Amino acid sequence: MPTLEVQKLCVHYGQLQAVRSVDFQVGKGELVALIGSNGAGKSSTLKAVAGLVHATGGTIRLDGEEIQRLSPEQRVLRGVSLSPEGRRLFGRMTVLENLLIGAHTVKSAARRSETLHLVYELFPRVHERRSQLAGSLSGGEQQMVAIGRALMAQPKLLMLDEPSLGIAPKVVAEIADAIRRLNRDGMSIVLVEQNARLALRLAHNAYALEHGEVVMSGKGDELLDDPFVRKAYLGV
Ligand SMILES: Nc1ncnc2c1ncn2[C@@H]1O[C@H](COP(=O)(O)OP(=O)(O)OP(=O)(O)O)[C@@H](O)[C@H]1O
Ligand SMILES: [Mg+2]
């Protein structure tokens, strides 16, 4: 049974349909990438899985159980965690305070020092800067904190929305290493990226979205070699 199974997902904003009958799934321990250009519906898809926008159609199953009617909070409790596009940290709170916000459920709070240790091990720089105000960090460091905060909820499904956006290549490589490590340790991950090359290199399976629809899917390395994908997303 897949960790996440999304079927015929629709999202509307008023008259505008941002997601049109999208199907995808994430197996246990699998890393799945969603790629596509601006406005394709990638963030809307992740927000619908997290419950931050309403799914106007379709089903979302986590370990076989339908979750599309649950509150965002209930989904966090069941193991869904999103690191949002643009990071959304509290700039005037410290790094540590931001991380602890991610461990706000009773279950995750009980194990928070253990989880914090894992986050610090994954991102030593976050540990170094734990007492600093989040707003004073570089973009790359803020992204590490955002991923760390999502991890503090102890998810079984981690969703990352554009973790490489606006970040220097060297730091992107560090973040990519961390994503790879988490996945190797067994975490199921959905990675949304405009950096298709990065996403397809990391992903077992990938889906390309355009205008709210899945236009292509396959194994990450197959898509990397696909002429359509190369032309549309890789610029080669
Ligand atoms: N809160 C909102 N209200 C109205 N329209 C929205 C809202 N959020 C997104 N949209 C629209 O829905 C469509 C899909 O947006 P979405 O953010 O899901 O795309 P995306 O693939 O994540 O794009 P990007 O790569 O730019 O982040 C776009 O046309 C966008 O303008
Ligand atoms: Mg987006």
Side-chain angles (χ1 to χ4, degrees), residues 30-94:
E30 196 178 30
L31 199 165
V32 167
L34 305 182
I35 61 171
S37 37
N38 285 123
K42 306 181 298 295
S43 296
S44 299
T45 299
L46 294 193
K47 285 180 190 164
V49 173
L52 303 175
V53 301
H54 175 63
T56 48
T59 55
I60 304 168
R61 287 191 181 84
L62 188 73
D63 288 340
E65 186 200 0
E66 288 192 20
I67 61 166
Q68 71 273 6
R69 286 181 206 86
L70 301 182
S71 68
E73 189 60 28
Q74 288 171 315
R75 297 188 206 194
V76 171
L77 281 168
R78 279 171 175 70
V80 177
S81 192
L82 170 66
S83 173
E85 187 174 355
R87 310 187 280 265
R88 304 294 183 101
L89 299 180
F90 296 95
R92 299 176 71 177
M93 290 169 61
T94 66

Side-chain angles (χ1 to χ4, degrees), residues 6-236:
V6 171
Q7 287 178 319
K8 296 187 172 16
L9 178 69
C10 298
V11 175
H12 290 77
Y13 300 106
Q15 294 294 311
L16 180 109
Q17 186 167 6
V19 178
R20 301 165 180 272
S21 202
V22 161
D23 288 349
F24 73 100
Q25 60 176 45
V26 183
K28 196 166 161 46
E30 196 178 30
L31 199 165
V32 167
L34 305 182
I35 61 171
S37 37
N38 285 123
K42 306 181 298 295
S43 296
S44 299
T45 299
L46 294 193
K47 285 180 190 164
V49 173
L52 303 175
V53 301
H54 175 63
T56 48
T59 55
I60 304 168
R61 287 191 181 84
L62 188 73
D63 288 340
E65 186 200 0
E66 288 192 20
I67 61 166
Q68 71 273 6
R69 286 181 206 86
L70 301 182
S71 68
E73 189 60 28
Q74 288 171 315
R75 297 188 206 194
V76 171
L77 281 168
R78 279 171 175 70
V80 177
S81 192
L82 170 66
S83 173
E85 187 174 355
R87 310 187 280 265
R88 304 294 183 101
L89 299 180
F90 296 95
R92 299 176 71 177
M93 290 169 61
T94 66
V95 165
L96 177 58
E97 286 166 342
N98 272 277
L99 290 173
L100 294 180
I101 286 171
H104 61 281
T105 65
V106 173
K107 196 170 122 215
S108 56
R111 286 178 52 197
R112 72 184 200 186
S113 48
E114 202 178 315
T115 323
L116 203 53
H117 183 75
L118 287 176
V119 170
Y120 287 158
E121 198 182 47
L122 196 62
F123 297 118
R125 283 205 231 196
V126 170
H127 179 250
E128 281 164 29
R129 302 189 182 246
R130 62 193 180 281
S131 306
Q132 204 170 314
L133 294 186
S136 69
L137 300 185
S138 73
E141 289 161 354
Q142 289 191 18
Q143 185 60 58
M144 293 173 189
V145 177
I147 296 173
R149 182 179 58 185
L151 287 170
M152 289 302 293
Q154 302 179 330
K156 65 173 92 156
L157 178 73
L158 177 67
M159 302 193 290
L160 304 171
D161 198 347
E162 308 261 14
S164 81
L165 194 67
I167 292 171
K170 188 162 165 282
V171 184
V172 170
E174 273 179 52
I175 290 172
D177 278 345
I179 295 171
R180 215 179 265 122
R181 265 186 64 188
L182 285 169
N183 180 243
R184 260 186 217 143
D185 291 346
M187 190 166 295
S188 309
I189 299 177
V190 187
L191 174 64
V192 157
E193 268 295 336
Q194 275 197 52
N195 183 341
R197 193 180 311 272
L198 173 74
L200 295 178
R201 276 186 187 149
L202 290 173
H204 300 112
N205 287 309
Y207 299 77
L209 292 181
E210 284 310 325
H211 307 293
E213 286 179 273
V214 174
V215 291
M216 193 172 232
S217 64
K219 292 196 189 320
D221 47 11
E222 282 170 12
L223 263 60
L224 263 181
D225 291 333
D226 182 88
F228 167 79
V229 170
R230 291 173 71 81
K231 190 156 179 290
Y233 304 112
L234 304 175
V236 288

